[in-house]
Amino acid sequence: MSAHRSESGLLDTSVVLAIGQLDPAFLPERPVISTITLAELSAGPQTAKTDRDRAQRMAQVQQAEADFEALAFDAASARAFGLVAGDLRRSGRKVAARAYDALIAAVAVANGLPLYTCNPSDFEGILGLEVVAVPHPDSTGA
């Protein structure tokens, strides 16, 4: 895991959700997200229990779409996913339980980008993935 600020980096969903609470000094100069993060965020309004929560989650999706370029899960990402899934299995972790994380990690690996996350333990055991831990001011995490 790394602790330096890079020029470009892929933001994990945990970072996107907490972006307004994070110190920009811990984020890449040119952050991007993956289409997997957009998919994960887009599921949020569908599972909200109240209209207020639904509206808030929809606003998060729209803000992410407006603020960040989204890298596609393409053929290179699909190949990288095979490696990520293998690494997770070898480390004793179930890929299905971490499906979004594994897909996001594959996009980072395929594009040669460090992954910025508030939850670095979610990405342990993935070879070739540079993980940058982003401190979250909330001690419970994002």
Side-chain angles (χ1 to χ4, degrees):
M1 303 216 185
S2 177
H4 73 282
R5 182 176 188 194
S6 66
E7 186 174 321
S8 295
L10 185 71
L11 305 184
D12 176 36
T13 309
S14 65
V15 173
V16 175
L17 288 171
I19 198 86
Q21 303 167 0
L22 302 176
D23 182 344
F26 290 100
L27 300 175
E29 293 177 31
R30 287 194 314 249
V32 295
I33 62 173
S34 72
T35 53
I36 304 305
T37 291
L38 283 179
E40 191 172 11
L41 291 172
S42 294
Q46 306 308 316
T47 60
K49 294 187 181 354
T50 67
D51 288 342
R52 182 176 184 216
D53 285 345
R54 187 173 295 102
Q56 181 181 18
R57 291 176 183 187
M58 183 54 79
Q60 289 172 325
V61 174
Q62 292 169 340
Q63 194 67 54
E65 289 175 331
D67 288 349
F68 302 106
E69 173 189 357
L71 298 178
F73 186 86
D74 58 9
S77 299
R79 288 188 297 277
F81 178 77
L83 299 173
V84 168
D87 289 343
L88 289 173
R89 286 187 187 111
R90 281 187 288 284
S91 69
R93 300 175 73 199
K94 294 182 179 180
V95 177
R98 306 261 27 120
Y100 286 123
D101 293 338
L103 292 165
I104 291 168
V107 173
V109 170
N111 287 278
L113 293 171
L115 178 65
Y116 286 72
T117 181
C118 294
N119 303 314
S121 64
D122 290 350
F123 300 94
E124 288 177 355
I126 300 173
L127 301 175
L129 176 65
E130 179 184 355
V131 176
V132 180
V134 177
H136 192 285
D138 176 7
S139 61
T140 62

